Amino acid sequence: MHFDPTTLRRDDYGFFGPGSPSWKIWTAPTAVIGFQRAVVLEHFDPFLTAAVADARGIYSDPRARLDHTFSYFLLVAIADGRTAVQAADHLMRIHAPMTGIEPISGKRYSANSPETQLWIHITGWHSVLKAYEVFGPGPLTPEEETRYWAECAVAAELQTCEPEDVPRSREQVREYYARVRPRLCSSERAEEGMHHLLWTPRSNGAGLSYYVGSRLLSLASIALLPKWMRTLGHFDRPGIVDLAVAPPAKSLVWAFSRFDKAGLLRAAPFIAPTAGRILAQHIEGAPPARLETITPGAARERYGMRGVSTAI
């Protein structure tokens, strides 16, 4: 993904703006922990696994996969409207050719299908909130949480999700997971993808920094996943490890949040270089030309963006 950080917020504050729960949670140090969780559990959807596995080179560069996907979510959360809709349209074009036959069910898959896009969207927004609650400042206030899920629904407008299917509360998120659980499963290709993201081997060219970084992140991100997923994906571990990880993880997050935001930016390039540049511009950049927020619909109309057909 090409990104010019000087364009992050040239026009407006994007969809949510300063003081929003989305800005707070997506730019917290816990977000990278939550996002590793998200890209791992995505593989339990066999249709998404098929799309990922059939894409050439996706397992040979897990750093790029995490970085590019995380960067997209960050742009939607904190960039101006023009940048966000451009990122969404770019992603839809990348996904458009990713179609084929899912080998477990024999059914056709499409990376741009509403069901697959909703799974990606909800796992991302739920995972970063989960990490924020467990390793960061803690739960949002009831008012903040209501607003957070409303903002999640706004962000879903940039994807092919059916609006009526997007959860708008924690209870609806639980209902969504219960509804899709019967189709979730693991497979050889799913486990390969999950394990590459959790414990990236040095032999695949990701470099020493990501080799070490993925393992450090996995200590915290695995603790956020339910037991049945950990067992199904063959990366479960004793509960005592989860308990041991929590204090140092919370201490590091507190230190980054309290004393050294630049420290997080210095560390980000080792895990997610593009996301690091986005975070740097978020913290250091000048205010936009218009101190206002905008809706996805208005951004598309103002900047002439169009949706991308998902027809196979």
Side-chain angles (χ1 to χ4, degrees):
M1 174 187 291
H2 172 73
F3 171 69
D4 178 359
T6 64
T7 66
L8 180 69
R9 276 200 297 273
R10 71 199 127 174
D11 299 317
D12 48 57
Y13 278 129
F15 307 135
F16 312 122
S20 65
S22 295
W23 274 35
K24 180 165 66 174
I25 290 170
W26 278 101
T27 63
T30 50
V32 70
I33 301 173
F35 212 76
Q36 189 189 51
R37 176 193 195 265
V39 293
V40 167
L41 72 85
E42 283 176 0
H43 288 80
F44 289 108
D45 184 319
F47 297 98
L48 181 58
T49 290
V52 172
D54 288 348
R56 180 177 298 178
I58 205 74
Y59 290 145
S60 66
D61 196 355
R63 190 218 300 257
R65 183 182 171 213
L66 185 146
D67 185 27
H68 292 171
T69 310
F70 186 27
S71 296
Y72 166 75
F73 276 82
L74 269 179
L75 291 176
V76 172
I78 65 175
D80 64 14
R82 185 203 312 231
T83 301
V85 295
Q86 286 177 340
D89 287 351
H90 172 76
L91 188 64
M92 292 300 102
R93 287 193 295 271
I94 294 296
H95 284 167
M98 297 170 65
T99 65
I101 301 299
E102 194 283 306
I104 297 174
S105 65
K107 296 180 180 178
R108 192 160 186 80
Y109 72 80
S110 168
N112 274 343
S113 75
E115 295 82 6
T116 295
Q117 288 293 303
L118 184 60
W119 175 250
I120 295 169
H121 185 72
I122 295 304
T123 53
W125 280 72
H126 175 256
S127 292
V128 295
L129 176 59
K130 183 80 172 176
Y132 186 89
E133 291 175 329
V134 173
F135 298 119
L140 301 176
T141 66
E143 294 77 15
E144 285 178 320
E145 180 157 340
T146 296
R147 184 176 171 186
Y148 180 76
W149 291 116
E151 291 171 352
C152 172
V154 170
E157 294 178 29
L158 294 183
Q159 296 170 253
T160 61
C161 310
E162 299 291 348
E164 63 272 16
D165 293 337
V166 181
R168 285 168 169 79
S169 68
R170 188 181 296 261
E171 183 57 36
Q172 290 184 10
V173 170
R174 293 192 185 103
E175 292 171 359
Y176 168 75
Y177 281 131
R179 186 167 66 252
V180 301
R181 182 170 175 175
R183 80 164 190 251
L184 303 182
C185 64
S186 188
S187 65
E188 183 177 348
R189 297 200 299 179
E191 287 185 24
E192 182 184 4
M194 290 186 281
H195 293 191
H196 262 73
L197 288 160
L198 290 168
W199 309 297
T200 301
R202 291 188 65 179
S203 59
N204 78 344
L208 178 62
S209 61
Y210 195 79
Y211 167 80
V212 174
S214 66
R215 282 159 170 75
L216 291 176
L217 277 182
S218 72
L219 292 172
S221 64
I222 289 175
L224 301 175
L225 285 161
K227 183 77 171 178
W228 71 267
M229 282 189 175
R230 291 154 54 152
T231 301
L232 186 61
H234 292 113
F235 54 82
D236 197 15
R237 66 192 184 195
I240 190 66
V241 178
D242 298 344
L243 295 175
V245 163
K250 290 180 179 179
S251 297
L252 284 171
V253 168
W254 179 82
F256 277 134
S257 302
R258 179 69 177 84
F259 297 115
D260 189 15
K261 286 185 180 293
L264 175 62
L265 298 180
R266 284 193 292 269
F270 295 105
I271 301 296
T274 305
R277 292 195 295 274
I278 294 170
L279 286 169
Q281 185 67 12
H282 170 73
I283 293 171
E284 302 163 2
R290 292 184 298 276
L291 306 182
E292 63 184 20
T293 57
I294 191 172
T295 66
R300 288 192 183 280
E301 182 176 353
R302 179 175 295 174
Y303 303 115
M305 303 298 165
R306 295 290 182 269
V308 176
S309 172
T310 61
I312 298 174

